[in-house]
């Protein structure tokens, strides 16, 4: 035990992390800092988390206006909503989760082929956030790969499980067309019109899939799957097999805010507002702060599909939303700027601290979104 204690104070390199080795205890380097408190979640309450029937976007103008109002309210209050009747077949969702799980079950040798700490790599497999490089470790293993345009990237994806490319590819394509529909509704809700961004996203927009695996954790409250953060995307669409995702509801409890455990209902997809829609709305919509908690018995799989403009395409506050009383509050930035930020910063500490929940301005400042 002495030896193990010694080992527990250092960080682990990938392929040797506690979660990959199924250690029966949580080493110190996974300890959740007190600044991440409060850790208590509200009861899983589907009433709290907005759920939108987006099939109505394709109905009459009146129906569409109604959905857009719901969406606008969810984006302002939570930066998050769930969608039902999204049109993606349940088999496609189940198949994608199955091949993702299958990948993580492969022998280490097979997965190692994709190991990389290069955040610019179009396909990479690693642990925590940036593998042994960050001070605090997280109980996560993940595969990240580009997904649009599919023909450009799919040949780099895992060939094992044998159906990985086909089934994950199908899911990515469906989720991508859904993302364009939702982005159209978001720009419309901001008074910018339905096609404001869709042509830019359609041509050279990025889709990055984060295929996440959170193995069972022997002391689930002693570690986190992911620290509090917001996504550097326009929107992220997420599918999960189990609960574990918690979102921060800033106006709860008289403004002090509260974590809400997002319920899991089969077939329902989750939509996160990312930093770039916060910029696009000049701060009217807030990117959602979220984290992942752990489970003692089961392996949790999530597929997070991040949708952005092109790699070097800058997002800026649109002129239509700026006037003398309401100046642009953000500076322009691209997806590539974020990757540069990720290389230079240890987000296991900075972005995750609750200070950032208290001061949104500080958080976006740290990311370089404002001066
Ligand atoms: C992410 C993320 C949440 C989850 O990959 O950015 O927040 O539930 N994932 O795995
Ligand atoms: Ni996220």
């Amino acid at each position: 035990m002495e030896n193990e204690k010694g080992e527990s104070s250092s960080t682990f390199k990938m392929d040797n992390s506690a979660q990959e080795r199924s250690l029966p205890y949580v080493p110190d380097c996974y300890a959740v800092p007190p600044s991440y408190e409060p850790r208590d979640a509200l009861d899983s309450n589907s009433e709290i988390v907005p759920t939108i029937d987006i099939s109505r976007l394709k109905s009459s103008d009146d129906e569409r206006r109604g959905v857009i109002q719901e969406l606008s309210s969810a984006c302002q209050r939570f930066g998050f909503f769930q969608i039902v009747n999204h049109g993606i077949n349940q088999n496609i969702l189940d198949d994608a989760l199955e091949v993702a799980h299958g990948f993580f079950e492969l022998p280490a040798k097979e997965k190692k082929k994709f190991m990389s700490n290069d955040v610019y790599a179009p396909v990479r497999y690693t642990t925590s956030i940036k593998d042994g490089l960050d001070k605090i470790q997280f109980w996560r293993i993940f595969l990240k790969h580009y997904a649009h345009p599919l023909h450009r990237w799919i040949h780099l994806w895992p060939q094992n499980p044998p159906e990985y490319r086909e089934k994950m590819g199908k899911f990515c394509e469906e989720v991508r067309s859904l993302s364009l529909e939702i982005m159209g509704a978001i720009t419309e809700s901001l008074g910018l019109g339905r096609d404001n961004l869709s042509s830019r996203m359609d041509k050279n927009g990025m889709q990055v899939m984060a295929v996440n695996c959170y193995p069972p954790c022997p002391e689930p409250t002693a570690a986190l799957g992911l620290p509090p953060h917001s996504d550097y995307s326009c929107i992220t669409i997420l599918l999960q097999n189990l609960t574990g995702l918690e979102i921060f509801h800033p106006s709860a409890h008289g403004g002090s805010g509260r974590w809400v455990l997002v319920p899991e209902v089969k077939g329902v997809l989750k939509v996160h507002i990312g930093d770039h829609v916060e910029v696009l709305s000049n701060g009217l919509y807030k990117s959602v702060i979220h984290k992942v908690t752990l489970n003692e018995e089961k392996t949790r799989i999530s597929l997070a599909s991040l949708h952005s403009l092109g790699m070097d395409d800058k997002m800026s506050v649109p002129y239509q939303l700026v006037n003398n009383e309401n100046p642009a509050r953000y500076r322009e930035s691209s997806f590539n700027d974020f990757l540069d930020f990720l290389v230079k910063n240890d987000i296991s500490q900075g972005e995750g601290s609750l200070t950032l929940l208290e001061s949104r301005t500080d958080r976006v400042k740290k990311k370089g979104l404002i001066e």
Side-chain angles (χ1 to χ4, degrees), residues 140 210 212 214 226 229 231 238 240 244-245 272 290 292 300 302 304 306:
R140 168 171 91 136
N212 298 308
Y214 305 91
L226 268 179
H229 69 281
D231 292 350
L238 185 121
Q240 62 177 11
L245 175 68
H272 297 92
H290 54 288
V292 176
R300 177 169 180 271
S302 74
L306 285 82

Side-chain angles (χ1 to χ4, degrees), residues 107-125:
K109 187 170 130 258
E110 187 69 23
K111 289 182 282 192
K112 262 186 176 160
K113 291 181 191 164
F114 301 94
M115 266 183 189
S116 168
N117 248 333
D118 174 7
V119 302
Y120 302 97
V123 180
R124 63 189 176 102
Y125 169 73

Side-chain angles (χ1 to χ4, degrees), residues 28-29 39 48-49 62 65-66 106 111 127 185 187 209 217 241 247 252 281 310 312 335 339 361 366:
D28 292 348
C29 57
R39 292 177 50 78
I48 292 179
V49 183
D62 261 7
R65 262 195 297 277
L106 293 174
K111 289 182 282 192
T127 62
T187 52
M209 279 299 304
C217 181
N241 67 339
I247 60 169
S281 71
D312 295 307
F335 191 79
L339 294 180
T361 313
K366 278 199 176 166

